[in-house]
Amino acid sequence: MNSIQASMTNEITKLLFRRKTVFFLSLTAILPFAGIWMVSRLQTGFGITAVSVADFPVLMLNLFSALLLPLLIFMAAADMFAGEQQDGTAKITLTRPISRFDIYVSKHLALLLYIGVYAAVGLVCSVIASWFLPFEGSSLTRLLQSVLAYVAAVVPMAAIGFLAVFVGQWFKNGSGALTVTILLYGLAKLASFLFPQQMTYSPTAYTDWHMLWIGDIVSWGKIGGIFSLLLSFCVLSFTAGFYLFDKKQW
């Protein structure tokens, strides 16, 4: 357990201090304030209140979960596996007194923490930015629902991340892994519009899963079914990915 914790700390430190991470973390913090400026201008121009203080964080989450977070996850997954194989640092990692399974687990835990950090930054900045919008009587309750939505959004992002790690095992360079995962994600999202019934078994169809957690009526049965599906994807992707990782010749 100590070896996994130490390895995870090392992995998340490497991820968070990369220049691209700092850039996208800054972008995640800035976007809500840019969005609030646009929303305020539109609402002032039309003289209506279409977005309230409680609605804005979820509005931003829709953007984060559909575009920004998947891109960040694909970059992280590519860097942690194919990227390290490309630059030779994977060999150094494998020489440490830690099993391949522990390394693989620690990288996944670091990826989950990475997703959580970005979701937390997006939530905090969106909530702060939303204070510039009109406050309604039910805003506090709905704001708490928004917090729950951000927490729930981590689940489909984890499934997509584990799947990206599995895909990355087939590549020896980070750019190739990143390009293919982005392409596959784009095709999957397009297929969700063209073949919605068939794509219900894809984790990419549930990037808006957080919307089920907000509102006056919560469908726990539907939430439970989707959670089981996403958890299955995590387990299958993790298992298949480790098989490839363990068989690799570095």
Side-chain angles (χ1 to χ4, degrees):
M1 182 61 70
N2 290 335
S3 61
I4 292 178
Q5 184 177 357
S7 182
M8 181 193 71
T9 302
N10 180 57
E11 292 294 336
I12 193 63
T13 301
K14 289 191 295 184
L15 281 175
L16 291 177
F17 282 93
R18 286 193 170 106
R19 289 183 179 179
K20 67 179 77 173
T21 300
V22 174
F23 170 78
F24 280 102
L25 191 62
S26 302
L27 182 62
T28 302
I30 293 171
L31 275 177
F33 296 96
I36 207 70
W37 178 80
M38 294 178 62
V39 169
S40 299
R41 289 291 298 272
L42 288 173
Q43 292 189 159
T44 302
F46 287 101
I48 58 174
T49 303
V51 180
S52 69
V53 63
D55 299 324
F56 185 74
V58 175
L59 183 66
M60 291 305 304
L61 180 57
N62 291 333
L63 173 64
F64 292 146
S65 61
L67 295 175
L68 191 57
L69 264 173
L71 177 60
L72 296 170
I73 291 168
F74 297 151
M75 288 192 297
D79 287 341
M80 285 195 298
F81 290 93
E84 289 192 357
Q85 184 175 1
Q86 181 182 6
D87 59 28
T89 55
K91 292 182 180 180
I92 300 174
T93 303
L94 292 172
T95 59
R96 299 201 315 247
I98 179 174
S99 67
R100 286 199 178 193
F101 180 75
D102 287 351
I103 292 173
Y104 194 72
V105 170
S106 65
K107 286 180 178 289
H108 279 73
L109 292 175
L111 183 61
L112 288 175
L113 184 57
Y114 184 73
I115 295 170
V117 168
Y118 272 99
V121 170
L123 170 62
V124 171
C125 292
S126 296
V127 169
I128 294 174
S130 69
W131 292 346
F132 294 95
L133 291 172
F135 189 87
E136 299 174 352
S138 60
S139 292
L140 182 58
T141 301
R142 292 167 63 190
L143 199 57
L144 292 175
Q145 289 181 334
S146 297
V147 175
L148 181 60
Y150 272 81
V151 175
V154 172
V155 179
M157 293 299 107
I160 290 172
F162 283 23
L163 191 56
V165 169
F166 165 70
V167 173
Q169 301 308 312
W170 298 91
F171 295 86
K172 294 183 178 180
N173 61 84
S175 58
L178 177 60
T179 301
V180 171
T181 49
I182 291 176
L183 179 61
L184 290 175
Y185 178 75
L187 291 174
K189 295 300 284 186
L190 178 61
S192 296
F193 289 103
L194 300 178
F195 313 104
Q197 293 299 323
Q198 289 77 7
M199 293 305 293
T200 54
Y201 298 102
S202 169
T204 58
Y206 300 105
T207 54
D208 61 347
W209 183 56
H210 55 272
M211 296 300 294
L212 296 176
W213 293 79
I214 59 178
D216 297 328
I217 301 177
V218 177
S219 178
W220 294 108
K222 189 173 183 179
I223 287 175
I226 296 174
F227 177 78
S228 299
L229 177 65
L230 294 173
L231 182 61
S232 299
F233 264 104
C234 288
V235 173
L236 290 173
S237 298
F238 180 90
T239 305
F242 176 69
Y243 175 81
L244 296 175
F245 180 76
D246 192 44
K247 298 298 181 183
K248 268 191 175 183
Q249 298 297 323
W250 303 87

